Amino acid sequence: MVIVGAGIAGVQTAVALREQGWRGAITLFGDEPHQPYDRPPLSKSVLLGKADGSAFDVDFAGLGIDLRLGCRVTALVPDDHRVETTEGPVRYDHAVIATGAEPIALPGSAGLPGVHLLRTLDDAERLRPVLAARRRIVVVGAGWIGAEFATAARETGCAVTVVEAADRPLAGALPAEVADRMTSWYADAGAELRTGARVASVTTGAVTLADGTTLPADAVVVGIGARPATAWLAGSGVELSPEDGSVLADERLRTSVADVYAVGDCASFPSARYGTRLLVHHWDNALQGPRAVAESLTRGEAGGVVYDPVPYFWSEQFGRFVQYAGHHGDADELVRRGDPDTAAWSVLWLRSEGGLREAQSDRGGGGRRAGGRLVALLAVGRPRDLAQGRKLIERGALLDRERAANAAVPLKAAVQ
């Protein structure tokens, strides 16, 4: 067994294989020289100097896993069942692609002093002294990573300006009626948020916007997204998405070539639950997918499982714990629970089906639907809503709209 990538997806695949009885050799390749580590703490405890690292507590030697660090896999040759590495070719019977995603760089900023990305342990280590010195920082991108970094920077007393090309934060993840409620979080934390602001150029010590505004910056942190790290698969026959570059895995996370699987941030998979292909760049997917791969490999085709999870992620930003479960792309109704101007509130996405589309509430809703199937949920400071909602999404539960909108009613009690 050859596993390419020593992030959480690759490590968990190796561990799950051993837990499920795989007795063959396992070789795990990692590009970085560091012991494999978890990434979420990089934008939190590691960045703030509260931890020196976040290495996984895994006894690789004891599990019989051959861990090869600082060794890059450069090509996959399925016809010969081998991978090419910087240390020479390695043959495999089965291979798992777990190379994750790589951050998108700001055009024209490569190699400039003071311009940073935040994806690796080395990135976090380079940024720690910047925060400790309380420098003026410009963050490009108001997505999840931008918000988390801005939170840490404000906690250390840095002056922070966040610039976002879209008209709101999290524009690529959440609809306007939800993301707009998060705009005030920046000002509340003492950070300046500039939306509708495109970066024209970055020079040492400054960021210039398209409208001519120049923002002084001792450091620039770029958080404008990530893409699957799959360029090394060119010519391998592994089918990639022309839209996002992800490995087009099937419902069991198999690739288009025999004996090769793909898991984590680098792979998209078809979801029968949502009727579309999903590419999920979050920790929970990189934790759950390896278990499905290991089960298929250890039990064979007859015992393999279909991978169709309810996506889940969380973010800690500006003193708030934000959680999301599901996929709201095909929802047709949004229901609020609680006041979004307070510290604790939730948003539900419902999908009307069959007779529910025409149903009316018993109190006379003027044609308003009584409810629908819960497909996604965002919870801010309401972890119980998330815990109950995630289970209801898995069950495909139908909710009564009026009860679901009442924040005093437990979500599970709103099931029709």
Side-chain angles (χ1 to χ4, degrees):
M1 176 67 62
V2 162
I3 302 170
V4 186
I8 184 172
V11 168
Q12 287 299 319
T13 298
V15 171
L17 282 166
R18 287 295 188 232
E19 289 177 344
Q20 296 189 35
W22 182 270
R23 296 184 179 180
I26 298 176
T27 303
L28 177 63
F29 290 97
D31 291 354
E32 298 179 56
H34 310 291
Q35 283 292 307
Y37 59 88
D38 208 4
R39 294 189 188 276
L42 297 184
S43 60
K44 304 173 183 69
S45 57
V46 174
L47 187 62
L48 292 170
K50 297 177 181 178
D52 292 327
S54 53
F56 294 115
D57 184 17
V58 175
D59 181 3
F60 294 99
L63 290 172
I65 298 169
D66 180 12
L67 181 60
R68 301 194 187 182
L69 300 175
C71 182
R72 180 180 294 275
V73 176
T74 58
L76 176 75
V77 188
D79 289 345
D80 196 33
H81 273 61
R82 77 173 191 274
V83 292
E84 295 290 343
T85 81
T86 50
E87 296 178 356
V90 176
R91 295 186 62 82
Y92 66 82
D93 295 306
H94 301 274
V96 177
I97 300 167
T99 43
E102 54 194 5
I104 298 172
L106 189 67
S109 67
L112 282 177
V115 177
H116 302 262
L117 299 169
L118 181 52
R119 182 71 180 179
T120 68
L121 180 59
D122 288 339
D123 292 336
E125 293 290 352
R126 282 189 286 267
L127 279 164
R128 280 169 70 165
V130 175
L131 268 61
R134 299 185 177 181
R135 300 299 181 95
R136 295 171 302 177
I137 299 175
V138 172
V139 180
V140 182
W144 299 112
I145 192 66
E148 290 186 2
F149 178 82
T151 299
R154 285 301 301 143
E155 187 173 329
T156 61
C158 294
V160 179
T161 301
V162 181
V163 296
E164 169 57 52
D167 62 355
R168 62 188 187 276
L170 296 169
L174 298 172
E177 61 265 39
V178 177
D180 283 348
R181 298 295 186 166
M182 301 173 171
T183 301
S184 63
W185 296 0
Y186 289 79
D188 293 345
E192 180 184 2
L193 172 65
R194 291 173 175 251
T195 57
R198 294 187 176 276
V199 175
S201 65
V202 178
T203 55
T204 301
V207 174
T208 301
L209 304 181
D211 65 2
T213 302
T214 297
L215 304 173
D218 297 310
V220 178
V221 177
V222 179
I224 56 175
R227 56 180 162 233
T230 56
W232 66 281
L233 291 167
S236 67
V238 172
E239 188 177 0
L240 305 179
S241 166
E243 286 80 28
D244 55 38
S246 64
V247 176
L248 293 173
D250 69 6
E251 71 282 356
R252 295 189 181 181
L253 300 179
R254 298 171 295 194
T255 72
S256 57
V257 302
D259 302 321
V260 179
Y261 290 71
V263 67
D265 290 5
C266 67
S268 58
F269 56 90
S271 170
R273 185 190 308 277
Y274 292 106
T276 190
R277 178 169 285 273
L278 298 180
L279 175 61
V280 182
H281 280 183
H282 294 294
W283 185 89
D284 190 67
N285 177 56
L287 178 68
Q288 302 296 336
R291 297 170 183 167
V293 168
E295 188 164 343
S296 291
L297 285 166
T298 55
R299 299 187 182 184
E301 292 299 312
V305 296
V306 170
Y307 186 63
D308 194 6
V310 173
Y312 166 74
F313 70 89
W314 78 96
S315 176
E316 296 177 61
Q317 50 185 269
F318 308 117
R320 295 167 174 85
F321 187 44
V322 183
Q323 296 172 282
Y324 178 95
H327 175 70
H328 64 269
D330 64 347
D332 52 20
E333 185 175 9
L334 185 149
V335 176
R336 296 188 184 277
R337 283 171 61 82
D339 183 352
D341 291 327
T342 64
W345 50 276
S346 297
V347 172
L348 315 177
W349 282 272
L350 306 181
R351 182 179 63 214
S352 298
E353 298 179 354
L356 288 170
R357 193 172 298 278
E358 304 299 331
Q360 298 179 351
S361 66
D362 346 32
R363 298 179 182 176
R368 184 176 59 188
R369 291 186 296 272
R373 193 174 305 279
L374 181 64
V375 295
L377 178 147
L378 175 79
V380 178
R382 291 182 65 94
R384 183 173 298 178
D385 277 2
L386 191 287
Q388 293 182 11
R390 191 176 182 184
K391 293 178 181 178
L392 296 178
I393 295 170
E394 290 173 348
R395 285 170 41 193
L398 301 175
L399 300 188
D400 177 273
R401 184 195 183 283
E402 291 191 2
R403 290 183 61 78
N406 186 343
V409 174
L411 202 53
K412 63 184 179 181
V415 176
Q416 287 187 333

